[in-house]
């Protein structure tokens, strides 16, 4: 056969036009991801501040910011609180509650299911500032809704139980994503498998353990990866506790804000942000390793 040679790409655009489609996206990635990342790494090795001489003429200090952060008791305390926040809010709270709601609604139809789904989604789509205001009103010491319902006026939840408060707050706010992901995963479980298990005398728990969980294990790990990273970097708890009282709810994003912006030490804040990035990479690698083992097993 004769004629023009085939185009080098399936769409027939040619390299020039294909590059033209990619350039705008690449420019945005460079401007909003690559440049800020490189700038943050640079700031992390300087004594850059918001004000003073170090703001006009920053100096290279090498790894001093990183060593000072790792040796700071406040940083280590914030890291421990952040891990507690992730474990309580994401791994236990959102993942478990999201699956429980999705499983309870899986075989239900009608207005009740739609009402529950809309209620859970509403918590997710509302702005964080609005949700924080609602929770402050709910947990208020003097006129809070929770104290009125429980009949225990005067209980200062945000002062006496700050970590528990932000864990429950973030669980309620973020459960919708897990619910939707698990609902989609449950739709892919063949009904014939569950019917076979029921006919074999399997209890509901055995059906979950032996039929449903193996089928959706990949979805579970993917969900845990995403919500763990989101929760680790979540700044919203600052809106209801501001890291207090006495830094008892000061998770790492709040700590970085106080150091870099309130304290003016941008270099130290950038170094801590880079350490957070490394921790995120470790978390991601753990989950990806678990996903890889699942694929090898199948």
């Amino acid at each position: 056969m004769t004629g023009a040679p085939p185009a080098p790409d399936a769409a027939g655009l040619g390299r020039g036009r294909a590059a033209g489609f990619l350039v705008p996206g690449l420019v945005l990635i460079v401007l909003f991801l690559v440049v800020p990342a490189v700038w943050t790494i640079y700031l992390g090795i300087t004594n850059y501040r918001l004000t003073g001489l170090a703001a006009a003429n920053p100096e290279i200090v090498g790894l001093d910011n990183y060593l000072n952060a790792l040796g700071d008791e406040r940083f280590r305390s914030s890291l421990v609180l952040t891990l507690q926040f992730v474990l309580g809010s994401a791994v236990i709270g959102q993942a478990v509650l999201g699956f429980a709601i999705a499983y309870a609604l899986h075989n239900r139809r009608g207005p009740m299911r739609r009402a529950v789904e809309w209620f859970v989604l509403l918590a997710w789509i509302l702005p964080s500032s609005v949700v924080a205001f609602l929770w402050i009103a709910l947990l208020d010491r003097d006129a809070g809704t929770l104290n009125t319902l429980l009949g225990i006026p005067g209980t200062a939840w945000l002062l006496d139980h700050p970590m528990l408060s932000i864990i429950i707050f973030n669980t309620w706010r973020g459960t919708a994503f897990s619910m939707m992901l698990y609902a989609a995963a449950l739709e892919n479980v063949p009904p014939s498998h569950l019917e076979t298990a029921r006919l074999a005398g399997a209890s509901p728990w055995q059906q979950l353990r032996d039929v449903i969980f193996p089928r959706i294990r990949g979805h579970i790990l993917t969900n845990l990866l995403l919500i763990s990273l989101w929760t680790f970097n979540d700044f919203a708890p600052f809106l209801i506790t501001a890291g207090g009282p006495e830094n008892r709810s000061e998770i790492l994003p709040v700590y970085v804000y106080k150091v870099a912006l309130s304290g003016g030490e941008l270099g130290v804040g950038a170094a801590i942000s880079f350490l957070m990035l490394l921790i995120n990479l470790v978390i991601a690698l753990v989950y990806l390793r678990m996903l890889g083992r699942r694929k090898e097993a199948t």
Side-chain angles (χ1 to χ4, degrees):
M1 297 178 63
T2 60
D9 57 280
L13 293 174
R15 292 183 178 178
R17 284 180 292 177
F21 281 104
L22 292 176
V23 166
L26 293 176
V27 169
L28 293 176
I29 290 174
V30 170
L31 287 178
F32 294 104
L33 291 178
V34 177
V35 172
V38 173
W39 180 245
T40 300
I41 295 173
Y42 166 73
L43 288 181
I45 60 173
T46 69
N47 63 345
Y48 196 92
R49 292 184 56 88
L50 280 176
T51 58
L53 295 177
N57 299 298
E59 298 178 355
I60 302 294
V61 296
L63 299 178
D64 288 354
N65 291 333
Y66 295 93
L67 297 176
N68 292 336
L70 293 174
D72 186 4
E73 177 62 29
R74 188 177 168 191
F75 169 79
R76 295 196 296 269
S77 175
S78 295
L79 176 58
V80 171
L81 291 175
T82 304
L83 295 177
Q84 293 176 1
F85 182 56
V86 172
L87 178 64
S89 175
V91 178
I92 297 177
Q94 296 179 40
V96 174
L97 183 58
F99 178 81
I101 296 174
Y103 185 70
L105 300 178
H106 176 52
N107 292 321
R108 296 181 181 273
R109 298 293 184 269
M112 179 59 70
R113 172 174 178 168
R114 290 193 294 271
V116 173
E117 289 176 341
W118 274 107
F119 177 77
V120 177
L121 284 172
L122 184 63
W124 193 40
I125 63 178
L126 282 175
S128 297
S129 57
V130 175
V131 176
F133 176 80
L134 294 175
W135 274 83
I136 291 174
L138 174 71
L139 301 175
D140 184 71
R141 174 192 297 183
D142 300 319
T145 306
L146 182 60
N147 285 346
T148 302
L149 292 175
L150 297 178
I152 48 175
T155 303
W157 297 96
L158 297 178
L159 296 177
D160 298 336
H161 310 284
M163 279 303 297
L164 179 62
S165 298
I166 64 174
I167 285 173
I168 296 176
F169 154 76
N170 198 64
T171 299
W172 180 83
R173 188 172 65 100
T175 296
F177 177 82
S178 297
M179 180 195 71
M180 292 188 295
L181 190 147
Y182 288 136
L186 289 172
E187 292 294 332
N188 293 325
V189 178
S192 59
H193 292 190
L194 293 174
E195 183 63 25
T196 302
R198 280 193 292 266
L199 293 176
S203 64
W205 164 245
Q206 290 173 327
Q207 294 175 37
L208 275 174
R209 184 191 62 191
D210 299 329
V211 179
I212 294 178
F213 284 155
R215 295 283 304 186
I216 67 171
R217 185 168 180 263
H219 298 81
I220 294 174
L221 293 175
T222 300
N223 178 64
L224 286 174
L225 169 61
L226 294 176
I227 63 177
S228 294
L229 295 179
W230 292 340
T231 304
F232 191 94
N233 299 284
D234 192 8
F235 185 73
F238 177 84
L239 300 175
I240 62 173
T241 65
E246 299 178 349
N247 301 328
R248 287 165 54 199
S249 62
E250 188 182 65
I251 56 178
L252 280 176
V254 177
Y255 176 54
V256 171
Y257 168 79
K258 290 183 177 181
V259 170
L261 298 181
S262 298
E265 299 181 6
L266 288 180
V268 178
I272 299 171
S273 298
F274 188 73
L275 291 175
M276 290 177 60
L277 172 62
L278 296 180
I279 297 171
N280 284 327
L281 289 176
V282 171
I283 295 174
L285 289 174
V286 170
Y287 282 123
L288 291 175
R289 179 62 178 170
M290 295 171 67
L291 279 171
R293 289 179 179 176
R294 172 188 172 273
K295 292 180 179 178
E296 291 175 1
T298 56

